[in-house]
């Protein structure tokens, strides 16, 4: 399910619209994930506060959305562009790659809430494919 | 036997009591057919599904979306025995319709997104958790009679 030229342009256009709210979206998506999929909390046992809206969740949400924004910039070569992040996730963080899908789903839910008019089915499919390709690139070095 | 907290029960009842089934059903089904196009394999006799606009305007999709939501309503009204409530529907989807049960999850995800967009900020993380738990039970029950 590779990204077509149309997918890429839809993703870039949509990211342009949402970039002002990226931090809020990242924090909220992460908070939703930790609440609705409690097994994901196992990766954050080093945080004092795992509740939505807490300082570590907000900070980390910003980090994640920043990285996704950068990925939009390297959308033509996600594996190459995300190589360093793949090393990090494969060798240091060792997050089970099934969780990338879970976080992606929560990003989609958050986008639907904040941009109900813009998050049409056409945008939904392009962003879903992009996040899947991004997740695959992130898991590239795992084995 | 699924254990529901008071919050989960109240949340699920509240979401569905405020929902316009005739709006959400068609929106969720048509979104599923667009976002996961392989699901179109089950709707060969529905006519044109070749793009999002046509799918959204397709009257058979709309009608079936409403049917699906009314089916969900049965689970809402029988939270303590969704498995038994859906036993026949599960047999139907397996023996007659031959639907891969993975597709139930795809439709459930699209339904979550449509409901989230309609509810906005009221669809908090806790509400999302309750709603998704309900859908997970529904999905599991619909797949239960497959063999």
């Amino acid at each position: 399910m590779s990204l077509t030229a149309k997918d890429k342009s839809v993703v870039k256009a949509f990211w342009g619209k949402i970039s002002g709210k990226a931090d809020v979206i990242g924090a909220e998506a992460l908070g939703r994930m930790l609440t609705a999929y409690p097994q994901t909390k196992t990766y954050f046992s080093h945080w004092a506060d795992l509740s939505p809206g807490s300082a570590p969740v907000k900070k980390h949400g910003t980090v994640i959305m920043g990285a996704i924004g950068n990925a939009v910039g390297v959308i033509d070569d996600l594996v190459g562009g995300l190589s360093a992040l793949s090393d990090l996730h494969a060798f240091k963080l060792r997050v089970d790659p099934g969780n990338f899908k879970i976080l992606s789903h929560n990003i989609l839910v958050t986008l639907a809430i904040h941009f109900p008019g813009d998050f049409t089915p056409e945008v939904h499919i392009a962003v879903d494919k992009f996040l899947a390709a991004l997740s695959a690139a992130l898991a590239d070095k795992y084995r | 036997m699924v254990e529901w907290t008071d919050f989960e029960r109240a949340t699920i009842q509240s979401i569905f009591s405020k929902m316009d089934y005739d709006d959400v059903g068609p929106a969720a089904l048509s979104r599923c057919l667009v976002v996961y196009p392989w699901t179109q394999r089950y709707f060969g006799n529905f006519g044109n599904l070749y793009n999002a606009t046509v799918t959204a305007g397709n009257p058979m999709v709309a009608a079936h979306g409403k049917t699906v939501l009314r089916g969900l309503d049965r689970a809402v009204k029988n939270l303590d025995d969704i498995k038994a409530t859906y036993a026949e529907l599960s047999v139907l989807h397996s023996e007659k319709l031959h639907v891969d049960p993975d597709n139930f999850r795809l439709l459930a995800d699209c339904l979550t997104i449509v409901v989230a967009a309609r509810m906005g900020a009221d669809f908090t993380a806790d509400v999302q958790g309750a709603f998704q738990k309900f859908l997970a039970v529904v999905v599991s029950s619909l797949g239960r009679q497959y063999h």
Side-chain angles (χ1 to χ4, degrees):
Chain A
M1 295 189 247
S2 50
L3 294 170
T4 63
K6 178 159 181 242
D7 291 328
K8 292 177 190 177
S9 78
V10 168
V11 166
K12 285 179 185 168
F14 185 68
W15 228 261
K17 279 194 187 142
I18 72 150
S19 56
K21 273 180 126 181
D23 293 354
V24 165
I25 293 188
E28 190 179 317
L30 192 56
R32 284 178 182 281
M33 183 185 80
L34 295 167
T35 305
Y37 300 86
Q39 70 271 23
T40 58
K41 292 193 291 189
T42 55
Y43 291 98
F44 302 101
S45 52
H46 54 288
W47 286 356
D49 186 353
L50 283 160
S51 54
S54 72
V57 170
K58 273 186 175 164
K59 184 163 171 243
H60 201 58
T62 301
V63 165
I64 292 176
M65 282 304 273
I68 297 180
N70 290 337
V72 175
V74 294
I75 202 168
D76 290 317
D77 179 18
L78 285 169
V79 171
L82 293 171
S83 174
L85 272 176
S86 182
D87 284 340
L88 177 74
H89 284 76
F91 303 117
K92 187 151 179 273
L93 303 175
R94 288 181 285 200
V95 174
D96 187 302
N99 294 289
F100 301 151
K101 218 170 184 197
I102 293 176
L103 180 57
S104 297
H105 169 72
N106 284 285
I107 291 173
L108 295 176
V109 169
T110 307
L111 290 173
I113 289 174
H114 286 265
F115 299 92
D118 292 305
F119 197 64
T120 59
E122 289 102 324
V123 168
H124 178 167
I125 186 177
V127 175
D128 191 33
K129 286 176 73 176
F130 165 65
L131 291 175
L134 195 162
S135 301
L138 216 50
D140 191 58
K141 304 277 183 46
Y142 269 58
R143 56 178 179 168
Chain B
M1 168 71 182
V2 182
E3 300 280 344
W4 302 103
T5 65
D6 290 341
F7 172 79
E8 286 164 350
R9 259 179 222 278
T11 298
I12 293 160
Q13 310 285 5
S14 168
I15 292 175
F16 280 88
S17 72
K18 292 182 185 142
M19 190 192 290
D20 180 353
Y21 287 20
D22 290 349
D23 162 45
V24 167
L29 183 59
S30 71
R31 189 170 281 255
C32 186
L33 293 167
V34 169
V35 175
Y36 306 108
W38 53 93
T39 57
Q40 292 171 23
R41 75 189 303 282
Y42 302 108
F43 301 100
N45 63 327
F46 270 31
N48 286 321
L49 297 172
Y50 56 81
N51 73 24
T53 310
V54 156
T55 303
N58 183 313
M60 288 182 84
V61 171
H64 197 62
K66 295 177 194 179
T67 301
V68 168
L69 252 292
R70 288 188 196 128
L72 265 180
D73 188 69
R74 291 171 54 197
V76 176
K77 299 201 155 60
N78 288 285
L79 279 180
D80 289 313
D81 206 357
I82 295 178
K83 197 168 71 183
T85 304
Y86 278 165
E88 263 183 58
L89 268 176
S90 179
V91 170
L92 174 79
H93 283 76
S94 162
E95 312 275 292
K96 186 151 177 271
L97 305 175
H98 307 291
V99 177
D100 180 337
D102 274 357
N103 292 281
F104 304 145
R105 203 182 27 85
L106 300 179
L107 180 56
D109 283 350
C110 286
L111 185 60
T112 301
I113 283 175
V114 168
V115 168
R118 299 289 186 277
M119 288 181 66
D122 287 343
F123 197 69
T124 63
D126 288 319
V127 167
Q128 179 183 346
F131 188 68
Q132 290 195 188
K133 177 175 167 178
F134 168 71
L135 288 180
V137 173
V138 163
V139 165
S140 163
S141 302
L142 274 175
R144 201 103 189 344
Q145 305 303 326
Y146 280 61
H147 66 97

